[in-house]
Amino acid sequence: MSFNETENILLCYPLHPDSCPRAHRVTGVKVAIYAIMLLIILMTVFGNLLIIISISHFKQLQSPTHLIVQSLAVCDCLLGLLVMPYSMVRSVEGCWFLGDVFCKVHSSLDMTLCISSLIHLSLISIDRYWAICDPLRYKMRVTNNTVTVFITFTWIFSFVYSFSVVFLGVFAVGLETFILQVSCFGGCAVYFNKEWGLTCVILVFIIPGSIMSSLYIIIFNVVKKHAKVLSEKVSVTSTGVNSQSSAHRERKAAKTLALVMGVYFICWLPFSIAVTVDPFLNFVTPVDVFEALVWFAYFNSTCNPLIYGFFYPRFQKAFKTLIFTYICGFNHSDTLTFE
């Protein structure tokens, strides 16, 4: 490479002989990307924080189901606070300025919180399955203590698995030569070999996705049958108003389940495909494309408070009460009333 070509390349560390090249972006594009990512981070943090505060503040929301939702919100909120800001700088600048040790810590936290978030989504689907399909035994089977045990196991498993995989470097066995060739000073990239790429996708995407898909399909069919039976009983004794209400609930359930699965697959499917296929293609996916897929996966944590909070009337009322009480200065209330 000639001196003129080298001179035109922006480096992460200009004085270091083995510096990674800095991403070359037009200032306007860089500002726009920063603005979009900051918006995603703020929505993730404050949306999930609102759920955490609502469940902690109102006793009516402190049920086993909402304990899982609250733990999910803690997970997604930490992702927005501890992972996304550093990923934002790396994605936009193309550089890592915090050293190798913190790079491993960041990658471990990233994996921990993403895995924990997806396991929590599976726990919510299992909880909803038992509540709707076996309501008589639900209260005996699902208690605060039971849920706490599963939540604790989820956090411990996610933490131990992620930190051990990253710090032991088992995901990169067989890629030593390739990593030496592509590594440079100021980079922070995790390369999975073929075996661990498949393992990661199975753990993060296939297993949670299969659990949620199968259980939500069963739930939808049960809700549909219940609505049909209720509609037939009501039609014998009254007008079609209640039948229309039953049909409305059925459509609402279908839309909610479709939204849950749609957001999950949209956010995680592209990233999962890239992680699975890339090792077999000698890691040909461009860095900017892979970073975009990572942020698509992050966006699932942004959408979780919308799906599991804003779409439920109880949370809507809790949010309004908190906002009017602590932001607008209206009368304080520690209780919620539901129709």
Side-chain angles (χ1 to χ4, degrees):
M1 182 179 293
S2 67
F3 175 76
N4 289 335
E5 290 174 328
T6 306
E7 195 178 43
N8 292 329
I9 297 177
L10 298 174
L11 300 176
C12 298
Y13 293 88
L15 300 179
H16 197 282
D18 191 30
S19 173
C20 295
R22 185 188 290 262
H24 181 71
R25 306 186 196 281
V26 179
T27 302
V29 174
K30 184 183 291 188
V31 171
I33 296 174
Y34 268 125
I36 293 172
M37 290 182 176
L38 277 173
L39 179 62
I40 292 174
I41 292 172
L42 291 175
M43 288 176 60
T44 302
V45 172
F46 288 106
N48 286 288
L49 196 59
L50 197 54
I51 287 183
I52 296 170
I53 295 173
S54 297
I55 296 175
S56 301
H57 188 75
F58 298 106
K59 292 183 179 181
Q60 295 95 324
L61 297 178
Q62 294 172 5
S63 65
T65 302
H66 291 146
L67 284 179
I68 306 175
V69 174
Q70 185 180 42
S71 183
L72 170 66
V74 170
C75 179
D76 291 335
C77 187
L78 290 176
L79 186 69
L81 283 173
L82 303 179
V83 175
M84 288 187 185
Y86 305 105
S87 296
M88 175 181 64
V89 176
R90 181 193 63 196
S91 299
V92 178
E93 302 295 341
C95 300
W96 183 260
F97 300 108
L98 301 173
D100 292 337
V101 175
F102 195 77
C103 172
K104 290 184 177 180
V105 173
H106 176 268
S107 299
S108 301
L109 279 175
D110 191 344
M111 192 180 300
T112 297
L113 296 173
C114 286
I115 291 175
S116 178
S117 178
L118 296 178
I119 296 177
H120 276 87
L121 293 178
S122 300
L123 290 178
I124 291 174
S125 66
I126 294 172
D127 174 83
R128 292 297 83 207
Y129 169 78
W130 281 340
I132 294 174
C133 300
D134 194 5
L136 296 179
R137 291 187 294 179
Y138 173 75
K139 289 187 177 181
M140 296 178 56
R141 180 183 292 173
V142 181
T143 63
N144 286 345
N145 291 334
T146 305
V147 167
T148 302
V149 170
F150 277 97
I151 290 174
T152 303
F153 172 79
T154 296
W155 280 98
I156 293 175
F157 169 77
S158 302
F159 182 87
V160 172
Y161 172 84
S162 302
F163 274 81
S164 60
V165 165
V166 172
F167 275 88
L168 293 177
V170 294
F171 58 86
V173 174
L175 300 177
E176 293 82 2
T177 302
F178 172 80
I179 292 175
L180 285 175
Q181 292 175 349
V182 300
S183 62
C184 54
F185 192 76
C188 181
V190 176
Y191 295 96
F192 287 90
N193 58 27
K194 298 174 183 178
E195 295 77 16
W196 279 97
L198 289 172
T199 302
C200 178
V201 170
I202 291 172
L203 179 67
V204 172
F205 182 74
I206 295 179
I207 293 179
S210 299
I211 292 173
M212 285 188 282
S213 298
S214 57
L215 292 183
Y216 281 139
I217 289 173
I218 295 173
I219 290 171
F220 174 72
N221 289 330
V222 170
V223 170
K224 187 177 180 180
K225 290 179 181 178
H226 288 174
K228 184 177 180 180
V229 171
L230 181 61
S231 177
E232 291 175 350
K233 288 183 178 180
V234 170
S235 63
V236 175
T237 58
S238 64
T239 63
V241 175
N242 288 325
S243 298
Q244 293 176 358
S245 176
S246 176
H248 174 72
R249 288 195 299 269
E250 181 183 324
R251 288 193 299 269
K252 185 177 180 181
K255 290 179 180 179
T256 304
L257 299 182
L259 181 64
V260 169
M261 296 309 305
V263 170
Y264 172 79
F265 280 108
I266 288 173
C267 291
W268 280 99
L269 183 59
F271 174 79
S272 301
I273 293 175
V275 171
T276 305
V277 174
D278 216 29
F280 293 92
L281 301 178
N282 200 26
F283 303 97
V284 296
T285 304
V287 175
D288 286 344
V289 173
F290 196 85
E291 290 287 354
L293 297 181
V294 169
W295 279 88
F296 258 100
Y298 286 162
F299 192 64
N300 190 213
S301 295
T302 309
C303 294
N304 283 338
L306 299 177
I307 298 172
Y308 294 100
F310 292 98
F311 277 79
Y312 287 83
R314 291 194 172 196
F315 279 104
Q316 292 174 5
K317 192 156 190 175
F319 296 159
K320 291 178 182 177
T321 302
L322 289 175
I323 292 172
F324 285 135
T325 300
Y326 295 104
I327 297 180
C328 300
F330 292 170
N331 291 334
H332 173 73
S333 176
D334 288 322
T335 59
L336 293 174
T337 56
F338 304 109
E339 296 180 358

